[in-house]
Amino acid sequence: MEKTGFKPSDFDVFTIDGLENRMEALREQIQPKFKEIGDELTAELNRLTGEDMHLHIAKHLRRTTNPPNDSWLAVAPNKRGYKKLPHFQLGLFDDHLFIWLAYIYELPNKSDIGQAFLNEIEELKSLPGEFAISTDHTKKKC
């Protein structure tokens, strides 16, 4: 099977007006690529972590008016969901692709995890320039 990858036109999906039109483009153009990439990523993470990892593709089902500004796939060690666990995300905004190790708001023990990050703050500050730490996963700028 030929690998498709993302093209510049894929990022244009986020300029389509209206929820239904944008969602249709996401379903037809982006989500199949997320599935292809996510299947490979999940298999590799299974191998690397020794855990049974599961692919989750954002469907944006709770949206009723505003079209999404981004979309993503997530890989986590839970079949039913990813938000309550540290997880890997690969996704798109209108101007870039992102790959994150994400710890988001639904994660239990947030204060313990935050303290663990603070204990290693100097190491985090020394990450190479192409790495960024975001305090809000919904914003495209860190």
Side-chain angles (χ1 to χ4, degrees), residues 2 8 11 14 20 24 26-27 42 47 56-57 73 77 87 92 99 102 104 108 111-112 122 130 134 141-142:
E2 182 181 330
F11 297 89
F14 298 102
E20 288 307 315
E24 181 179 346
L26 281 170
R27 283 188 294 272
T42 300
R47 186 184 70 74
H56 305 272
I57 297 174
L73 67 83
H87 59 276
L92 304 174
I99 301 171
I104 64 174
S111 59
D112 294 340
E122 291 308 315
E130 61 270 13
S134 171
K141 300 294 180 201
C142 296

Side-chain angles (χ1 to χ4, degrees), residues 40-55:
E40 273 191 52
L41 184 58
T42 300
E44 185 66 8
L45 288 170
N46 284 341
R47 186 184 70 74
L48 290 171
T49 65
E51 290 194 53
D52 193 16
M53 304 293 273
H54 301 275
L55 174 62

